[in-house]
Amino acid sequence: MKTISIDPITRLEGHGKIEIFLNDQGNVENAYFQVPELRGFEVFCLGRPVEILPRIVPRICGV
Amino acid sequence: MDNFEPKIIGFYCNWSSQMGIDSAGVEGASYPPNLRLIRVMCSGSVDPEVIIEAFKKGADGVVILGCHLGNCHYRNGNYNALRRYRLLQKTLEQFGLEKERLRLEWVSVAEGKRFAGLVGEITEELRRLGPLRQFS
Amino acid sequence: MGKLKFAIYWGAACGGCDVAVVDTHEKLLDIAAAADILFWPVALDFKYRDVEEMADKSIDVCLFSGAVRNSENEHIAKLLRQKSKVMVALGACAQLGGIPGLANEKRRQDILDFVYHGSPSTASQKGVYPQEITSVPEGKLKLPKFYDAVMTLDQVVEVDYYLPGCPPESARILEVVQAIVTGNLPPKGAVVGALDKALCDSCPRKREEKKVKVFYRPQEILFDPERCFLEQGLICLGPATRGGCSDPPRCIRSNMPCEGCYGPPPDVTDQGAKMLSAVSSIIDSQDPGQIEKIIDGIVDPLGTFYRFGLPASALRKKRFP
Amino acid sequence: MDGKIGSVLVIGAGVAGIQASLDLAESGYHVNLVERRGNLMGAAANNCCKGVEECNRCMLCQVSEKAFQVITHPRITLFRHGEVVKVEGEPGHFSATIQRFPEMNERGCPICDKLPLYAVPLKSDPEEIQLDVAGVIMAIGFKLFDPSPLPEFGYGKYKDVVTAVEFERMIHERTGLFCSDGRIPRRIAFIQCVGSRDPKIGNPWCSAACCSFTLKEAIVAKEYVKDLEPTIFFMDQRPYGKDSERYLSRAKEQYGVKYIRSGVSKVEAAGDGKGLVVTYTSETGGVSTARFDMVGLSIGLECAVTAKKLSREFGIELNPYGFCWASPFSPLETSRQGFLVCGTFGGPNDMTESAMQASGAAADTLGILAKAKFDHVPQKSYPPERDTSGEAPKVGVFLCQCGDYIGKTVDVASLTQFASALPEVAYCDQRRYACSEEFRDEMKEAIKVHGLNRVVIGSCSFFTHGSLFQETLREAGLNPYLMEMVNLRDQCARVHSHDPEKATMKAKDLIRMEVAKARFLEPLYRLSKTMNPSALVVGGGITGMVSAISLAEKGFDVHLVEKTTQLGGHALRIQHTLEGGNVQAYLSDLIEKVKGFPKIHVHKNSELTAYQGRVGDYTSRVKTTSGEEREIKHGVTIIAAGGREYKPDEYLYGQDPRVMISVELEEEIDRRTERVAQSQTIAMIQCVGSRNEVRPYCSRLCCAKSVKNAISLKTLNPKMNVYILYRDMRTYGFRESYYQEAREKGVIFIRYDLDRMPEVKAVGDILRVTVHDIILGERMEIDADLLVLASAVLPPEDNHILSRILRVPLNEDGFFKEAYEKLSTVDFMQEGIFVAGMARSPISIVESIYQGKAAASRAMTLLSRESLLTDGIVSTVKESVCCGCKVCEALCPYGAIAVVPEENVAKVDELVCKGCGTCCGACPTGAAQLKGFKKEQMMAMVGAYLGA
């Protein structure tokens, strides 16, 4: 079985990776989209004073 | 953890606290040998950056020693120490350091014995808390 | 001399630094005229494999933005280091850990639990967590290892220059690139694209006397737009932050206190320690009770003084005994 | 030399003796200080720090520091265990004979008798010594009243009845508060005026210091035992000192100290054998009892044991109470010329007044001293300092065994070996006594032979021996700041004697840390600042004039700036003192004297408009009312701006012509106005505008003033009804006898409370004063012909302007705030500027006189020098990183660091900086660093201990 790995996915914001598995006929058997990135904003925003949030969350995505 | 010997760094001012600390020796009081003292001119001059560095390098406790409030050789340097220490302590708590690891104590010329008792108490407290493992 | 070869990469980042590069607008063309960009995921179609195939040190300059959050970040950082002559930490995340570095106040497991399970917006009935290796009928899928703590770039590879900011000001990026192109580089290890002086030096606000009886949160008062924030009781990290983001400084210009993204000035290693030292020193009280109360007005010291620099600070991360 | 002697004899090394000696020595004279006991500090040594959270100002720390200065001062010769037996000759040429007790124990610590050796080299002398001195300062102190002969207090009978001084020591020694049987007391009583204000036993005076002292004990006791109920039995609350009123309120409000106005008739054991029962008669006459666990007797002050003997031998007169007699307007001069008195020998006093009198006495002595200055210290020459800047660090480590003190516990041999192997250590040696001359010579030799450029000494305290070893470095041609000390004795060996192994380990760490720091030591230099030998005195009242005369007598130029058209200030309106002294005669005498001095330049109608510079070199601008401006250059400044009286807006003042304030009554008495002569009834109300919410301070002099006026009225017309409505009569010290006299003359004293204030109404022709008589428990109406208000003393209106111009602080009440409330009371934190008189706090004329002299004396410690040397340890700013944030500026207690606007960087005035390093700790960019204690040095020490 042949595998095509698109790593990283480019020309977009964020980190991504696609693994495409081809069968013997060369057709796509299965494809997996993976996101290798986690920063955890959900968690480290917790408990922070509210006025700090507008200064933190823009850094989720700067594009 | 029975054999754990805490490493303690103390910053002491050149005036009342130096006289007090030295008089513990003169009076023949005794305390555990875990404290390493560093002389500064005033408790108000101790830089939090240095304290944090001490924790980073593996100090289990830091104590700042100054003249009693109202009796600073430089009038109010010790108030500065107090303000700085409180905010630093609050910040260090957010770093997960027990607040007992950073102490600010006033020692006067006549308090040699009290100082000896204090070192004993601080050492015991840190023994109970256990080692502050390396941060890095 | 042939054209310089550039690589631009992002680790744990938001892409803001890349946008800052793009924000050089038509000057980007000048860069393109002087340099070939061999690798830039946000803009160009090169893959990791292309980088792997390059000869060592065949890239002249790598601009690396983003912190090191997982094994992939580390792996690529090392790869690019191997292939590059000059490694530049671009932006606060690469230099200091940046906003993603705030995660160092949390346990790794707590982050995973909340994001993949506990968060109210997460619907994961089976409680699926990301796995480093997932077996599928066709083979194995690999995800990078999510580290215990966020690291700065120089905690995993050697860094030649630091270009601070969240994001770095475009004009500064351009200046640095021009310096690189002309070979006009400072000694290794230097911070470039910023000043040696702290931000206050270029702050236009009036400074009178630094004595503060109350620390306010910005929503609590109407403040004087002409006067030093700190003197009004608003915590501004200007005194312990490198200047150079712009003149006048950009947050100050927008009537907001500096939050410290340009990192510590040259003689400071722990920006937060220095800032909290200055902030506590201006408290105008000699009453222990009142001092306590005033300090309680600073609700989140770590998030305030170490907002961008937690992984670069002396203690790096929260300790969980 | 003009034939006079440059040496003074000071008798008694208590607070007053220490202060007088230091002032004189600092002014360049030689002092022979004779003390009967083995230790210094006199009664202050009884003060013990109790280690509660906030300092209660026992002042022991400061007195100890001063005592250290005395011991190590090159111009002070200390004779402990000595007594002056004879003084012959004339002022300027006395010959004194000192006898020393043979049983003296020179090895005892001179600071505190209970400590063993502090190896400070002390001069030893033969048993009888002859000294040539120009003047004598008597500071022989007092004796504490012994309550044993008073059976009613049960002292000596019950173990839990102690004197307040014993109580103080007890808390300290047991580091806590315990009854004799070990229980923690819950209820504790303090009885005031034991042995004071008691004519029956021959002590009619008020001992002045005990009210504040007891207050402190009560607060401290409460700090130790949180649920303690301290009760104070008293007649009048008399903490009259500056800021004492606030302390009193705090005691009541914050600490819940209970006050019972009463007379205590007896203290007995309780029937059940537990505790003590105090029987007392309350103000209203009822007899009650209360039970306590402990009783503290606030014992009074009596004349010193040796007072009689010395007075006989020296031919100085005593007053009727056995204290030293002093002349009314020269309160520090005794009956024998050239003999001065200060401290409690002149009368009951607290530490503050004693220290001020001591400085004043020093100023008075200067007049009879030789002009030659600083001639008692041999000028020493040093080899030229070696330039070590290009050299790699070569550290020499010198270790001391301190006899057995270190050697017994720390393995000095292995420590030597360890130190020798440390990086950059080029030489290491050890001796039994590192401070011995032989070893110091060897040290110098080693520095030369081995080319050492840093020195680490492992011995004892930097405090006691730092200067000795710094001197050794200088003698070896090294900059004295290239030396660090490790206190191996007191911080290691002596405190770890039970564990020699760990002590040695710790010693190694300490040496390694100090060696690591030594690597970063830099040569530091003491700067010399020029001294313009002239003074600016702001205020031409009694205080200012006294200061000016003292300075001019010693040959200094004085610019005396007075706002009004004439000299004399507040005193122009005062006729005589409580003691009967003629104020106007004194004043015109003083004004004549001022005029007679060409050195005193009087600027009337003038105000200070600008002021800049630093100690030794100030430039001021003075502007007259007509707009003329002139520039004055001077070396020091004395603020004597005076005070003013409060013009009440209560009690119909300003509305009814029959209502006046005390000073107006005094003028009318003097003029014998008809309405005073014809008055049948005159009422006075005390504390008008003082001790209230607006002005929570005591104006201090109004009680004596009213008593004085009342006596005058009764003398004019014995039939006149004179009422004084008061809250506490504060006739402290010998003023008490006039209070007594007033009562004997029939003046009626009625006490009122804040919650039931007197009321005044004009009812037809009648001026009706209504007061709730607490003793009778009923309202009382006084129909007065005249009503006199004892109004508060206020700081001058323009104090805040002056404060801003001179950059020295005011307290909450608007008076100038001195460096330390109890000692250093005429100094500011800023060197070169002093304050005296009413500008500082309300005081009497006699007190202004010695305060004026005290300020002059303190000023002369600076003016006498050709130049002043700073310490090498000062802050420095790295301008390339300073951002001008101004955090440092507001912090500096000396005003030594400021941001220069044009450059936007902070600059340190090294001539003003005292090297506390507060700015450095605060500096957010790390630009400010304290020389000798830089961050890299601190980091090196931390790293050396914990690993890099």
Side-chain angles (χ1 to χ4, degrees):
Chain A
M1 191 177 278
K2 205 179 160 202
T3 310
I4 299 172
S5 189
I6 302 175
D7 188 17
I9 307 173
T10 48
R11 294 196 289 170
L12 49 62
E13 201 287 331
H15 295 241
K17 174 177 158 190
I18 298 171
E19 301 245 38
I20 305 166
F21 294 95
L22 304 178
N23 59 21
D24 297 343
Q25 287 75 43
N27 294 329
V28 175
E29 178 74 26
N30 215 339
Y32 295 90
F33 171 72
Q34 298 157 66
V35 179
E37 195 201 12
L38 168 67
R39 281 170 292 157
F41 276 81
E42 299 90 328
V43 183
F44 60 72
C45 285
L46 281 178
R48 293 253 106 81
V50 66
E51 67 271 20
I52 294 184
L53 292 188
R55 315 199 86 182
I56 294 181
V57 295
R59 273 80 181 197
I60 293 173
C61 176
V63 175
Chain B
M1 228 172 310
D2 286 344
N3 300 324
F4 168 57
E5 287 296 340
K7 291 181 171 176
I8 314 167
I9 286 199
F11 297 92
Y12 67 100
C13 87
N14 192 49
W15 308 98
S16 286
S17 58
Q18 171 163 239
M19 289 196 276
I21 290 169
D22 289 358
S23 69
V26 175
E27 291 175 37
S30 81
Y31 50 81
N34 300 59
L35 176 67
R36 303 287 177 271
L37 287 162
I38 296 177
R39 184 171 69 98
V40 295
M41 290 310 282
C42 176
S43 56
S45 74
V46 180
D47 183 346
E49 225 185 335
V50 179
I51 295 174
I52 291 184
E53 187 70 13
F55 283 123
K56 178 194 172 181
K57 293 218 158 110
D60 298 300
V62 173
V63 54
I64 308 162
L65 301 149
C67 308
H68 280 264
L69 287 179
N71 201 20
C72 173
H73 182 83
Y74 305 102
R75 180 159 248 288
N76 47 24
N78 51 3
Y79 283 100
N80 246 309
L82 174 68
R83 295 188 271 257
R84 221 168 275 159
Y85 149 85
R86 282 304 297 129
L87 185 55
L88 178 60
Q89 199 179 44
K90 196 175 164 188
T91 310
L92 288 176
E93 277 188 88
Q94 266 186 302
F95 271 102
L97 268 78
E98 298 85 352
K99 67 174 192 295
E100 295 81 2
R101 294 194 188 268
L102 177 65
R103 298 271 295 251
L104 174 66
E105 293 290 341
W106 315 128
V107 178
S108 81
V109 57
E111 292 182 309
K113 286 203 182 102
R114 192 186 139 257
F115 172 71
L118 190 70
V119 178
E121 180 203 311
I122 291 173
T123 311
E124 262 326 295
E125 181 79 60
L126 290 171
R127 242 185 220 130
R128 194 181 59 75
L129 287 176
L132 179 71
R133 273 176 295 273
Q134 294 290 112
F135 267 89
S136 41
Chain C
M1 196 181 100
K3 279 169 109 183
L4 286 174
K5 295 182 175 65
F6 269 59
I8 304 177
Y9 184 67
W10 50 13
C14 69
C17 292
D18 299 86
V19 172
V21 174
V22 176
D23 276 348
T24 52
H25 304 298
E26 73 283 359
K27 295 278 172 32
L28 190 58
L29 300 173
D30 297 347
I31 300 178
D36 283 332
I37 300 176
L38 300 188
F39 181 57
W40 189 8
V42 77
L44 302 171
D45 267 340
F46 295 96
K47 304 297 177 200
Y48 293 142
R49 203 182 320 113
D50 303 316
V51 181
E52 280 158 16
E53 283 163 6
M54 291 177 193
D56 285 0
K57 308 289 170 199
S58 59
I59 300 170
D60 289 297
V61 179
C62 173
L63 303 177
F64 192 109
S65 68
V68 178
R69 167 78 272 190
N70 58 32
S71 56
E72 181 184 84
N73 300 149
E74 183 176 1
H75 171 70
I76 304 296
K78 284 182 169 158
L79 180 65
L80 286 166
R81 175 69 268 190
Q82 188 192 332
K83 305 293 176 190
S84 308
K85 288 186 187 127
V86 172
M87 176 62 96
V88 178
L90 177 68
C93 298
Q95 186 200 3
L96 310 166
I99 293 288
L102 282 173
N104 283 3
E105 202 198 341
K106 308 288 176 189
R107 274 196 179 92
R108 173 182 184 273
Q109 196 55 44
D110 292 342
I111 296 174
L112 294 175
D113 284 349
F114 189 77
V115 173
Y116 293 100
H117 181 69
S119 147
S121 60
T122 302
S124 166
Q125 281 158 359
K126 292 186 196 160
V128 179
Y129 282 62
Q131 303 297 315
E132 277 171 50
I133 294 173
T134 307
S135 295
V136 292
E138 298 80 12
K140 285 189 160 76
L141 302 175
K142 284 169 94 176
L143 280 177
K145 182 178 167 63
F146 186 71
Y147 286 157
D148 274 341
V150 178
M151 287 177 278
T152 62
L153 183 59
D154 64 3
Q155 286 164 4
V156 298
V157 298
E158 199 179 330
V159 170
D160 299 297
Y161 299 104
Y162 300 88
L163 209 174
C166 184
E169 187 77 354
S170 298
R172 299 287 94 73
I173 297 179
L174 200 62
E175 283 162 21
V176 172
V177 169
Q178 275 159 356
I180 293 169
V181 169
T182 55
N184 198 9
L185 281 164
K188 209 177 137 172
V191 170
V192 292
L195 303 171
D196 276 355
K197 293 255 183 181
L199 184 116
C200 298
D201 187 59
S202 45
C203 177
R205 287 172 179 254
K206 276 200 291 287
R207 291 194 281 277
E208 286 154 25
E209 194 186 37
K210 286 219 164 26
K211 281 188 171 175
V212 170
K213 282 210 151 53
V214 188
F215 286 115
Y216 294 101
R217 300 166 69 172
Q219 64 270 32
E220 290 174 339
I221 57 161
L222 276 176
F223 41 89
D224 176 352
E226 305 289 319
R227 196 171 168 208
C228 170
F229 284 114
L230 264 178
E231 288 175 12
Q232 300 181 66
L234 282 152
I235 293 179
C236 171
L237 265 62
T241 303
R242 266 181 200 267
C245 50
S246 69
D247 191 8
R250 54 189 179 191
C251 292
I252 307 294
R253 199 175 49 201
S254 318
N255 207 16
M256 280 307 273
C258 169
E259 40 180 347
C261 72
Y262 263 64
D267 286 5
V268 176
T269 46
D270 195 302
Q271 185 186 15
K274 272 313 208 178
M275 195 59 219
L276 76 85
S277 185
V279 162
S280 55
S281 300
I282 63 172
I283 293 172
D284 184 18
S285 171
Q286 297 212 346
D287 174 67
Q290 200 189 0
I291 290 172
E292 199 69 45
K293 239 169 96 183
I294 297 173
I295 287 177
D296 283 343
I298 304 168
V299 283
D300 177 18
L302 184 136
T304 305
F305 303 123
Y306 292 93
R307 192 175 304 165
F308 290 89
L310 191 51
S313 72
L315 299 182
R316 290 190 177 186
K317 60 176 184 178
K318 183 170 174 164
R319 167 179 173 267
F320 298 96
Chain D
M1 293 263 289
D2 54 5
K4 285 186 190 167
I5 295 165
S7 183
V8 180
L9 174 65
V10 177
I11 309 175
V15 167
I18 285 176
Q19 186 64 54
S21 301
L22 283 178
D23 272 21
L24 286 163
E26 287 301 302
S27 294
Y29 296 97
H30 179 251
V31 177
N32 296 297
L33 176 58
V34 182
E35 167 58 48
R36 291 179 73 234
R37 296 202 266 181
N39 65 302
L40 277 69
M41 303 201 289
N46 284 328
N47 285 3
C48 295
C49 187
K50 274 71 58 185
V52 290
E53 185 62 20
E54 195 161 351
C55 169
N56 275 282
R57 312 284 200 281
C58 79
M59 294 291 119
L60 182 66
C61 291
Q62 280 189 53
V63 182
S64 313
E65 238 183 273
K66 287 186 189 227
F68 255 118
Q69 286 173 32
V70 163
I71 291 169
T72 51
H73 204 291
R75 281 188 291 277
I76 300 176
T77 312
L78 175 64
F79 300 94
R80 297 186 290 143
H81 300 285
E83 204 168 60
V84 182
V85 288
K86 199 161 63 179
V87 182
E88 288 172 328
E90 299 294 312
H93 300 276
F94 287 115
S95 171
T97 310
I98 298 171
Q99 254 176 21
R100 307 189 82 192
F101 310 132
E103 71 272 22
M104 67 188 195
N105 165 23
E106 274 291 12
R107 290 185 71 81
C109 171
I111 299 297
C112 172
D113 50 355
K114 63 174 189 262
L115 305 184
L117 175 81
Y118 250 115
V120 177
L122 288 163
K123 297 134 197 161
S124 65
D125 290 277
E127 294 197 349
E128 192 163 294
I129 305 142
Q130 291 289 330
L131 297 170
D132 288 334
V133 293
V136 182
I137 294 178
M138 309 265 299
I140 63 171
F142 63 93
K143 173 175 138 318
L144 282 166
F145 176 75
D146 175 12
S148 320
L150 303 179
E152 62 267 37
F153 295 117
Y155 180 76
K157 188 171 172 192
Y158 308 117
K159 278 188 185 154
D160 286 320
V161 178
V162 295
T163 68
V165 175
E166 289 165 346
F167 185 83
E168 166 112 358
R169 287 205 83 99
M170 205 165 77
I171 293 188
H172 169 67
E173 274 154 22
R174 301 196 203 161
T175 51
L177 189 51
F178 304 98
C179 298
S180 56
D181 59 2
R183 278 181 308 131
I184 293 172
R186 292 284 170 257
R187 289 173 54 79
I188 182 162
F190 291 97
I191 302 171
Q192 290 295 126
C193 299
V194 175
S196 306
R197 299 182 69 185
D198 191 348
K200 283 200 309 287
I201 60 162
N203 289 4
W205 61 82
C206 158
S207 291
C210 4
C211 274
S212 294
F213 189 86
T214 309
L215 197 49
K216 183 185 80 191
E217 299 311 307
I219 289 180
V220 169
K222 181 83 183 170
E223 293 249 6
Y224 269 99
V225 183
K226 293 291 173 209
D227 56 351
L228 187 81
E229 292 173 31
T231 305
I232 298 181
F233 293 94
F234 74 105
M235 295 197 264
D236 289 286
Q237 293 165 357
R238 288 185 177 173
Y240 60 89
K242 187 179 183 182
D243 290 333
S244 297
E245 192 69 29
R246 278 200 166 78
Y247 197 55
L248 177 64
S249 316
R250 236 178 73 197
K252 291 182 189 169
E253 284 151 26
Q254 193 179 328
Y255 291 90
V257 176
K258 198 172 146 195
Y259 272 85
I260 299 180
R261 202 180 290 263
S262 59
V264 170
S265 54
K266 63 184 172 206
V267 179
E268 291 171 314
D272 54 7
K274 282 184 193 155
L276 299 156
V277 172
V278 173
T279 308
Y280 61 96
T281 312
S282 75
E283 210 180 353
T284 48
V287 176
S288 322
T289 59
R291 184 190 271 255
F292 296 96
D293 300 315
M294 249 179 137
V295 172
L297 305 179
S298 183
I299 48 174
L301 274 54
E302 292 181 324
C303 65
V305 189
T306 50
K308 225 176 225 155
K309 191 169 143 226
L310 290 182
S311 75
R312 214 172 32 237
E313 276 160 7
F314 300 161
I316 55 171
E317 275 174 40
L318 300 180
N319 71 12
Y321 311 119
F323 290 84
C324 186
W325 178 91
S327 97
F329 287 110
S330 298
L332 308 172
E333 280 175 26
T334 69
S335 58
R336 181 171 173 189
Q337 241 197 324
F339 274 65
L340 293 143
V341 56
C342 59
T344 41
F345 182 38
N349 257 333
D350 62 7
M351 208 183 276
T352 310
E353 300 301 320
S354 292
M356 273 197 274
Q357 290 180 357
S359 287
D364 273 347
T365 316
L366 288 174
I368 50 172
L369 278 167
K371 278 216 179 73
K373 297 167 202 154
F374 300 98
D375 56 352
H376 276 264
V377 181
Q379 286 298 313
K380 205 167 159 180
S381 64
Y382 297 95
E385 196 178 299
R386 202 173 95 208
D387 177 14
T388 57
S389 54
E391 300 174 11
K394 279 181 110 176
V395 185
V397 179
F398 299 93
L399 302 169
C400 178
Q401 297 174 10
C402 197
D404 278 339
Y405 278 135
I406 296 171
K408 198 172 61 184
T409 308
V410 171
D411 182 350
V412 180
S414 105
L415 188 60
T416 311
Q417 218 170 21
F418 170 84
S420 310
L422 288 172
E424 285 156 357
V425 170
Y427 182 82
C428 180
D429 199 2
Q430 53 109 354
R431 281 293 179 281
R432 198 164 158 75
Y433 285 105
C435 56
S436 67
E437 209 165 330
E438 302 81 63
F439 191 50
R440 280 186 284 129
D441 285 341
E442 288 175 32
M443 218 183 264
K444 284 181 256 177
E445 196 53 32
I447 291 171
K448 283 181 203 143
V449 173
H450 299 275
L452 307 178
N453 52 24
R454 310 281 195 284
V455 171
V456 171
I457 293 166
S459 58
C460 52
S461 169
F462 188 89
F463 208 93
T464 55
H465 282 63
S467 50
L468 183 74
F469 289 119
Q470 286 191 328
E471 187 76 6
T472 309
L473 260 73
R474 283 186 77 187
E475 287 163 4
L478 271 187
N479 183 286
Y481 293 93
L482 295 171
M483 188 274 293
E484 281 296 327
M485 281 178 76
V486 183
N487 193 341
L488 287 180
R489 186 184 68 193
D490 308 317
Q491 294 180 7
C492 187
R494 298 262 297 154
V495 287
H496 308 314
S497 52
H498 57 287
D499 195 344
E501 199 182 315
K502 284 200 174 134
T504 305
M505 250 170 64
K506 173 170 166 179
K508 287 179 181 171
D509 278 340
L510 293 175
I511 293 289
R512 185 171 52 196
M513 288 161 76
E514 220 63 67
V515 168
K517 179 184 177 185
R519 185 192 199 293
F520 293 99
L521 289 178
E522 313 159 296
L524 304 180
Y525 297 95
R526 306 182 67 176
L527 296 177
S528 163
K529 35 188 167 182
T530 51
M531 175 50 70
N532 179 336
S534 65
L536 175 78
V537 178
V538 183
I542 284 187
T543 314
M545 285 195 285
V546 166
S547 291
I549 291 168
S550 277
L551 294 168
E553 271 176 352
K554 208 57 206 160
F556 299 109
D557 276 294
V558 183
H559 293 272
L560 184 61
V561 179
E562 167 59 38
K563 223 165 54 175
T564 67
T565 54
Q566 55 176 334
L567 295 172
H570 196 70
L572 286 165
R573 300 177 68 184
I574 298 169
Q575 305 311 317
H576 60 93
T577 62
L578 176 65
E579 295 81 8
N582 184 336
V583 176
Q584 291 312 309
Y586 169 70
L587 203 53
S588 47
D589 194 43
L590 211 54
I591 294 169
E592 278 314 302
K593 248 186 173 166
V594 166
K595 283 183 188 158
F597 273 109
K599 288 262 179 200
I600 304 181
H601 315 280
V602 180
H603 308 266
K604 287 182 196 165
N605 280 323
S606 296
E607 271 182 306
L608 190 67
T609 53
Y611 179 84
Q612 57 174 357
R614 43 142 190 98
V615 56
D617 180 22
Y618 290 110
T619 308
S620 296
R621 294 192 76 80
V622 165
K623 197 175 174 183
T624 62
T625 36
S626 53
E628 271 173 72
E629 226 176 329
R630 61 172 294 190
E631 198 176 89
I632 296 172
K633 289 195 171 289
H634 55 105
V636 299
T637 311
I638 295 175
I639 306 173
R644 66 194 160 105
E645 67 250 342
Y646 168 61
K647 303 273 191 226
D649 46 19
E650 52 263 62
Y651 301 125
L652 303 180
Y653 182 80
Q655 297 166 37
D656 191 306
R658 290 165 298 181
V659 183
M660 61 180 86
I661 58 177
S662 303
V663 68
E664 292 162 349
L665 172 67
E666 183 169 355
E667 281 166 338
E668 292 211 21
I669 295 174
D670 185 59
R671 294 206 315 272
R672 303 280 191 272
T673 57
E674 208 170 310
R675 62 175 186 167
V676 167
Q678 287 179 357
S679 287
Q680 295 301 305
T681 301
I682 293 183
M684 302 182 189
I685 302 178
Q686 296 302 112
C687 294
V688 177
S690 305
R691 298 182 66 194
N692 59 17
E693 265 175 31
V694 190
R695 257 167 253 103
Y697 61 88
C698 162
S699 294
R700 183 160 162 167
L701 45 86
C702 358
C703 281
K705 209 180 238 180
S706 292
V707 165
K708 175 180 80 178
N709 285 340
I711 292 174
S712 300
L713 291 172
K714 276 289 193 186
T715 313
L716 280 179
N717 175 8
K719 285 191 180 146
M720 190 191 290
N721 299 310
V722 182
Y723 295 92
I724 296 184
L725 279 47
Y726 73 102
R727 287 170 55 199
D728 288 285
M729 283 312 287
R730 291 192 169 169
T731 44
Y732 54 94
F734 297 137
R735 291 162 189 81
E736 180 68 10
S737 60
Y738 297 95
Y739 177 30
Q740 182 70 25
E741 183 187 335
R743 277 181 298 182
E744 280 162 12
K745 284 202 152 82
V747 177
I748 297 163
F749 288 84
I750 301 170
R751 200 174 72 76
Y752 73 88
D753 266 336
L754 259 187
D755 38 354
R756 268 188 284 207
M757 300 284 280
E759 281 162 32
V760 177
K761 259 190 212 148
V763 187
D765 287 351
I766 299 164
L767 194 58
R768 180 160 294 163
V769 181
T770 316
V771 60
H772 176 83
D773 187 320
I774 294 171
I775 296 173
L776 299 176
E778 58 192 36
R779 274 162 67 89
M780 187 176 161
E781 283 176 356
I782 302 165
D783 289 343
D785 300 306
L786 293 174
L787 173 66
V788 187
L789 308 179
S791 70
V793 176
L794 307 185
E797 257 161 325
D798 52 2
N799 252 16
H800 63 279
I801 300 173
L802 211 49
S803 148
R804 213 188 50 231
I805 294 176
L806 296 168
R807 296 187 300 273
V808 284
L810 299 177
N811 70 5
E812 291 147 300
D813 304 321
F815 293 100
F816 282 96
K817 187 178 173 78
E818 61 274 42
Y820 291 102
E821 289 87 352
K822 287 200 174 170
L823 287 173
S824 311
T825 40
V826 297
D827 300 64
F828 285 103
M829 286 312 281
Q830 290 90 329
E831 205 178 10
I833 176 160
F834 306 91
V835 60
M838 296 264 213
R840 201 191 140 263
S841 72
I843 44 165
S844 72
I845 286 180
V846 175
E847 288 163 336
S848 330
I849 294 171
Y850 64 70
Q851 274 193 19
K853 289 182 179 178
S857 173
R858 301 295 305 142
M860 280 189 278
T861 63
L862 302 172
L863 288 172
S864 315
R865 297 149 192 256
E866 273 159 20
S867 59
L868 293 174
L869 275 184
T870 63
D871 192 67
I873 296 168
V874 289
S875 289
T876 166
V877 173
K878 186 170 165 187
E879 293 184 7
S880 64
V881 292
C882 171
C883 64
C885 70
K886 282 190 161 202
V887 166
C888 53
E889 201 178 283
L891 276 182
C892 180
Y894 307 97
I897 191 165
V899 172
V900 179
E902 305 81 55
E903 300 171 53
N904 198 36
V905 289
K907 301 217 171 185
V908 177
D909 187 341
E910 295 197 355
L911 296 170
V912 178
C913 175
K914 293 281 173 196
C916 64
T918 299
C919 54
C920 310
C923 176
T925 61
Q929 293 290 327
L930 185 61
K931 291 184 183 173
F933 296 88
K934 291 186 170 175
K935 186 169 102 179
E936 58 185 12
Q937 296 169 329
M938 298 290 109
M939 291 290 199
M941 290 186 83
V942 168
Y945 171 44
L946 297 165

